[in-house]
């Protein structure tokens, strides 16, 4: 939620900060703002709306762009509605200090009341304006420099933050700090320039050297001198390591696609290969995953596996439940992280917890991990973003290696998460002997075919588009699937909801009779997964039931199917594969249908309303 970026150095800061905001817009996009320091004055430009709206304002007045120092913000509102005043950056009352903030100051009300008694007045409804005035107050009372004032102020703060603060009376430095929200610092040659951002994407073309702050760390960045990192609470100096960034510019650009979502759908074959590359070795008949290998006894002795995640990652977790129980015969529970963390769950040291998260920053998942660890469970992470908070907080893990996912609606994250879970389930099954060597080998060979099968499916895009055109004006849709494909039905419905704003529900096909069937009439499109191995005959009966109530049936079937073809209004074929691997294929047409419907309805596919890519607040 919210993206922050900043620059201090010898280049013009404006293009760096504004382009950085565009790259961070996936994090929130209800308002945007920028502060430019021209050597004398701080110029503030901010507005409700997108970064492009901000650009229009700045373009009207060239002097708003001048300066070698700038900080910017793209917002996903928490405290205070999205409007110009609540947009960041925020000045302190004296007008000397300015801040951008990602996160929530939970005790802002108490702090605000205290500041009001000291004579402060506030322009906005935000928690952030409270924080910058608290910093001003501490700076005045302690008569200290900015870094110390920020540090002392943060010791009174409850909540989460990634902040960048600038003081125009000391214009050679920026102070940044983090707790619970990510922040990366790009380091230029010989300390002659520095970049600050919620992730490294805004500065990829300038430097590959980055420092990722840890929780409760504060960095004082001084031009020409370098970076000093301290622990906020005990003031100890931290030896921050500079990491070499592997991400390339190409990966974060649209590469000729109209939207990131479409690009990411098309990237799935490569992403899945990247996920299993070096891990799945069919010729040797093994799967190598160091995070699992090193902790094999924990997995094998586990009473159960608890999978925690949110949203799409939770759906991948549900597929994981089917995989682990079917292949490795280990009992699995799948929990919404947000529920798990607050319901006093029974967890013991004999539990293995698998936390799944694309961003690795989801606040509820992170809190659930901390809870599980505090109760003695071994926690394994499945994350996409390397070095993310969840990746660091877990005891061991496996990255999905999907590459940056920028479209807010998850696509390649989902299929690569399922790929990782399949590899772990297969590995445990082999180790436990719950799968025969030939069955194991068969899975490996079949999984290896999935990327080219997805490639083949992506070619049916035109026929999917025709189906999308027929149903784009629907107001309600049902998605049905059974077994391994029940979670795919949930995911299909979520994809449609989040980018086209059409109401959709996913159900296990057999549950239809217990309620949703009442909704069916000639206006109701029903997407049914009816592949040949997953309880096919039973799903065919469900389709008959829909037909006799005049519902419109769009069925996902296996190549060569004849029975469903006769009944359904539309069929989309997937290539033959093993039942446990079908989710990797059946999800593709659902992604494409949602995408095309959203485009036809003129919706903002990559930045759907009210959503943000990483949910770093509860
Ligand atoms: C849906 C979507 C969200 C995320 C959820 C968890 O398309 O993207 O539902 O899946 O917010 O995010 P991560 O995986 O980053 O923890």
């Amino acid at each position: 939620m919210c993206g922050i970026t900043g620059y201090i150095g010898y280049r013009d800061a404006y293009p760096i900060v504004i382009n950085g905001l565009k790259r961070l817009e996936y994090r929130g996009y209800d308002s945007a703002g920028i502060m430019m320091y021209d050597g004398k004055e701080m110029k503030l430009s901010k507005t409700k709306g997108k970064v492009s709206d901000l650009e229009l304002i700045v373009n009207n007045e060239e002097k708003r762009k001048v300066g070698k120092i700038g900080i910017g913000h793209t917002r996903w509102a928490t405290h205070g509605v999205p409007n110009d005043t609540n947009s960041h950056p925020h000045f302190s009352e004296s007008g000397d200090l300015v801040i951008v903030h990602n996160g929530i100051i939970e005790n802002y009300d108490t702090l605000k009341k205290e500041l009001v008694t000291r004579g402060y007045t506030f322009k906005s409804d935000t928690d952030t304006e409270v924080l910058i005035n608290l910093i001003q107050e501490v700076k005045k009372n302690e008569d200290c420099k900015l870094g110390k004032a920020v540090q002392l102020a943060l010791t009174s703060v409850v909540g989460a933050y990634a902040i960048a603060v600038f003081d125009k009376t000391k214009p050679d430095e920026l102070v940044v700090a983090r707790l619970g929200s990510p922040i990366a610092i790009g380091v230029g040659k010989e300390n002659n320039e520095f970049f600050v951002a919620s992730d490294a994407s805004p500065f990829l073309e300038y430097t590959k050297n980055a420092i990722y702050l840890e929780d409760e760390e504060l960095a004082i960045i001084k031009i020409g001198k370098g970076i000093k990192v301290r622990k906020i609470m005990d003031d100890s100096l931290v030896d921050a390591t500079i990491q070499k960034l592997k991400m390339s510019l190409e990966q974060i650009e649209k590469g000729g696609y109209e939207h990131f979502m479409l690009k990411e759908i098309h990237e799935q074959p490569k992403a899945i290969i990247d996920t299993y590359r070096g891990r799945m070795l069919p010729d040797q008949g093994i799967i190598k995953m160091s995070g699992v290998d090193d902790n094999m006894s924990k997995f094998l002795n586990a009473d159960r596996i608890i999978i925690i995640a949110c949203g799409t990652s939770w759906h991948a977790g549900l597929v994981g439940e089917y995989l682990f129980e079917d292949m490795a015969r280990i009992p699995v529970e799948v929990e919404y992280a947000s529920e798990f963390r607050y319901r006093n769950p029974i967890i013991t040291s004999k539990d293995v917890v698998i936390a799944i998260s694309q961003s690795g920053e989801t606040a509820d998942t992170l809190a659930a991990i901390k809870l599980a660890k505090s109760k003695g469970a071994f926690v394994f992470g499945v994350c996409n973003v390397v070095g993310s908070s969840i990746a660091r907080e877990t005891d061991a893990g496996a990255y999905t290696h999907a590459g940056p996912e920028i479209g807010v609606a998850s696509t390649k994250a989902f299929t690569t998460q399922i790929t990782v879970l399949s590899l772990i389930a297969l590995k445990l099954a082999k180790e436990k002997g719950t799968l025969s060597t030939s069955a194991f080998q068969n899975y490996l060979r079949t999984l290896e075919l999935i990327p080219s099968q997805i490639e083949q499916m992506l070619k049916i895009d035109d026929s999917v588009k025709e189906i999308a055109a027929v149903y784009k004006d629907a107001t309600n849709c049902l998605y049905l699937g059974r077994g391994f494909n029940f979670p795919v039905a949930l995911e299909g419905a979520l994809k449609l909801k989040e980018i086209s704003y059409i109401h959709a529900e996913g159900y296990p096909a057999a549950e239809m009779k217990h309620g949703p069937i009442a909704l069916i009439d000639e206006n109701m499109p029903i997407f049914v997964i009816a592949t040949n191995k997953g309880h096919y005959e039973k799903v065919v009966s469900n389709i008959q039931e829909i037909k006799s109530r005049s519902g419109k049936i769009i069925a996902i079937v296996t190549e060569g199917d004849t029975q469903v073809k006769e009944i359904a209004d539309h069929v989309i074929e997937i290539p033959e594969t093993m039942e446990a691997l079908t989710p990797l294929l059946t999800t593709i047409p659902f992604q494409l249908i949602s995408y095309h419907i959203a485009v036809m309805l003129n919706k903002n596919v990559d930045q759907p309303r009210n959503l943000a890519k990483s949910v770093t607040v509860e």
Side-chain angles (χ1 to χ4, degrees):
M1 324 310 255
C2 301
I4 64 177
T5 188
Y7 176 80
I8 179 165
Y10 62 89
R11 305 176 204 251
D12 288 335
Y14 178 71
I16 299 170
V17 176
I18 202 83
N19 290 330
L21 289 182
K22 286 182 195 163
R23 286 183 197 160
L24 293 176
E25 224 174 359
Y26 71 88
R27 302 180 65 87
Y29 33 80
D30 57 44
S31 37
I34 188 167
M35 182 290 298
M36 289 294 307
Y37 177 70
D38 64 7
K40 280 196 199 112
E41 298 283 321
M42 295 200 283
K43 290 255 160 12
L44 190 61
S45 315
K46 51 188 200 172
T47 181
K48 178 177 177 207
K50 298 204 182 283
V51 177
S52 54
D53 298 307
L54 174 67
E55 264 183 311
L56 291 179
I57 293 174
V58 177
N59 284 342
N60 274 337
E61 225 183 321
E62 282 302 306
K63 62 180 182 214
R64 289 178 181 272
K65 294 183 181 171
V66 180
K68 312 287 181 198
I69 298 174
I71 56 175
H73 189 268
T74 174
R75 181 166 188 246
W76 187 88
T78 54
H79 289 91
V81 296
N83 62 24
D84 297 357
T85 318
N86 287 337
S87 309
H88 300 214
H90 289 283
F91 281 143
S92 67
E93 208 178 52
S94 68
D96 286 346
L97 310 182
V98 63
I99 188 170
V100 283
H101 168 217
N102 166 32
I104 289 188
I105 309 300
E106 287 171 12
N107 59 338
Y108 85 103
D109 201 30
T110 319
L111 296 171
K112 189 172 183 174
K113 283 185 182 130
E114 175 61 31
L115 289 167
V116 168
T117 62
R118 295 181 191 208
Y120 282 82
T121 54
F122 293 86
K123 296 188 184 72
S124 76
D125 307 318
T126 64
D127 50 346
T128 307
E129 197 188 1
V130 174
L131 179 57
I132 193 64
N133 279 322
L134 178 67
I135 295 169
Q136 180 187 302
E137 178 67 7
V138 173
K139 191 167 179 289
K140 187 181 78 193
N141 291 344
E142 301 292 321
D143 192 20
C144 58
K145 291 186 183 157
L146 179 67
K148 194 73 199 164
V150 174
Q151 186 183 352
L152 289 173
L154 290 177
T155 57
S156 328
V157 158
V158 178
Y161 52 78
I163 52 170
V165 190
F166 175 72
D167 176 357
K168 82 167 185 199
T169 66
K170 199 83 181 44
D172 60 342
E173 65 179 38
L174 267 182
V175 175
V176 300
R178 92 159 250 177
L179 176 63
S181 302
I183 196 140
I185 305 169
V187 184
K189 277 193 210 122
E190 292 158 16
N191 295 322
N192 59 359
E193 59 177 347
F194 296 95
F195 308 79
V196 169
S198 299
D199 72 36
S201 63
F203 53 80
L204 278 182
E205 60 266 62
Y206 302 104
T207 179
K208 293 280 185 210
N209 293 332
I211 291 174
Y212 287 90
L213 285 193
E214 299 285 342
D215 275 349
E216 294 189 349
E217 284 182 357
L218 171 139
I220 300 173
I221 302 169
K222 228 179 214 162
I223 203 73
K225 292 227 170 89
I227 303 175
K228 217 170 239 171
V229 181
R230 289 184 182 280
K231 280 279 170 205
I232 292 168
M233 290 302 175
D234 66 13
D235 199 38
S236 56
L237 268 178
V238 175
D239 191 11
T241 42
I242 294 188
Q243 299 186 19
K244 281 271 168 230
L245 296 172
K246 293 208 182 87
M247 205 194 295
S248 70
L249 211 50
E250 232 171 49
Q251 284 179 302
I252 56 159
E253 284 172 347
K254 283 193 199 144
Y257 287 93
E258 206 183 323
H259 298 99
F260 281 111
M261 182 179 177
L262 189 61
K263 176 184 176 229
E264 287 154 9
I265 291 172
H266 280 261
E267 278 174 347
Q268 287 176 110
K270 179 177 178 302
I272 291 173
I273 293 173
D274 288 345
T275 306
Y276 66 54
R277 179 181 290 121
R279 290 172 168 160
M280 186 172 81
L281 306 169
D283 292 342
Q284 298 172 41
I286 53 168
I287 292 171
K288 286 205 291 191
M289 296 177 95
S290 57
V292 181
D293 285 315
D294 296 348
N295 297 287
M296 189 51 91
S297 63
K298 295 210 171 66
F299 279 100
L300 296 183
N301 296 324
D303 282 346
R304 58 183 177 160
I305 291 176
I306 305 169
I307 299 179
I308 49 174
C310 301
T312 290
S313 298
W314 184 79
H315 296 155
L318 280 181
V319 177
E321 176 178 24
Y322 286 85
L323 291 166
F324 284 112
E325 294 203 341
D326 184 57
M327 293 175 176
R329 308 304 297 149
I330 303 175
V332 177
E333 286 165 30
V334 188
E335 300 251 14
Y336 285 115
S338 52
E339 286 299 311
F340 179 82
R341 62 180 288 200
Y342 284 122
R343 65 171 185 77
N344 194 14
I346 299 165
I347 313 163
T348 74
S349 56
K350 294 268 284 174
D351 291 324
V352 165
V353 171
I354 299 183
I356 309 174
S357 174
Q358 186 287 127
S359 63
E361 301 295 343
T362 302
D364 282 321
T365 310
L366 197 52
I369 292 168
K370 289 181 180 160
L371 175 71
K373 276 176 76 180
S374 73
K375 304 217 174 206
F378 167 72
V379 185
F380 188 92
V382 176
C383 294
N384 188 32
V385 177
V386 176
S388 54
S389 304
I390 291 177
R392 287 197 305 246
E393 187 65 36
T394 41
D395 296 306
Y399 284 116
T400 50
H401 298 307
E405 190 182 66
I406 292 167
V408 164
S410 248
T411 51
K412 63 177 178 171
F414 182 62
T415 44
T416 54
Q417 286 164 346
I418 295 174
T419 305
V420 165
L421 295 170
S422 304
L423 293 176
I424 303 173
L426 283 165
K427 192 168 172 54
L428 297 181
K430 181 164 191 261
E431 201 67 28
K432 283 188 74 180
T434 47
L435 268 187
S436 67
T437 308
S438 65
F440 176 81
Q441 196 66 22
N442 196 15
Y443 268 116
L444 265 48
R445 295 277 179 219
T446 313
L447 183 53
E448 210 179 13
L449 294 177
I450 293 286
S452 59
Q453 292 178 322
I454 296 179
E455 207 74 79
Q456 178 189 332
M457 292 191 66
L458 291 169
K459 294 193 183 124
I460 59 165
D461 201 23
D462 280 346
S463 52
V464 172
K465 220 183 214 168
E466 282 168 24
I467 298 172
V470 177
Y471 297 106
K472 70 176 181 11
D473 297 317
T475 47
N476 288 295
C477 295
L478 267 184
Y479 283 74
L480 304 176
R482 282 196 86 146
F484 288 96
N485 282 298
F486 156 52
V488 178
L490 296 179
E491 175 61 8
L494 178 64
K495 287 290 87 93
L496 188 69
K497 275 187 272 212
E498 62 187 340
I499 58 169
S500 69
Y501 320 143
I502 296 173
H503 177 248
E505 294 292 337
Y507 267 95
E511 274 293 304
M512 185 183 69
K513 284 200 254 338
H514 301 283
I517 199 163
L519 295 167
I520 297 175
D521 62 15
E522 65 284 1
N523 299 317
M524 172 71 104
I526 299 156
F527 297 85
V528 190
I529 304 167
T531 51
N532 60 6
K533 297 198 186 70
H535 317 281
Y536 179 73
E537 293 304 335
K538 296 197 186 304
V539 178
V540 172
S541 305
N542 295 140
I543 294 177
Q544 293 286 13
E545 290 156 9
I546 299 167
K547 189 79 186 167
S548 49
R549 285 156 185 87
S550 308
K552 298 286 178 288
I553 300 152
I554 307 100
I556 313 294
V557 299
T558 313
E559 248 164 20
D561 179 283
T562 50
Q563 210 178 335
V564 175
K565 258 185 202 155
E566 281 180 16
I567 336 169
D569 297 275
H570 310 269
V571 290
I572 299 171
E573 291 186 338
I574 66 154
E576 183 77 52
T577 189
M578 294 168 86
E579 187 191 352
L581 302 179
T582 50
L584 292 167
L585 301 179
T586 51
T587 198
I588 306 295
F590 288 167
Q591 295 171 346
L592 288 170
I593 284 176
S594 304
Y595 171 77
H596 288 303
I597 289 183
V599 171
M600 287 169 194
L601 295 177
N602 250 325
K603 303 295 182 212
N604 189 335
V605 173
D606 285 333
Q607 294 170 351
R609 71 180 178 205
N610 303 338
L611 293 176
K613 186 70 184 160
S614 51
V615 185
T616 54
V617 293
E618 287 191 43

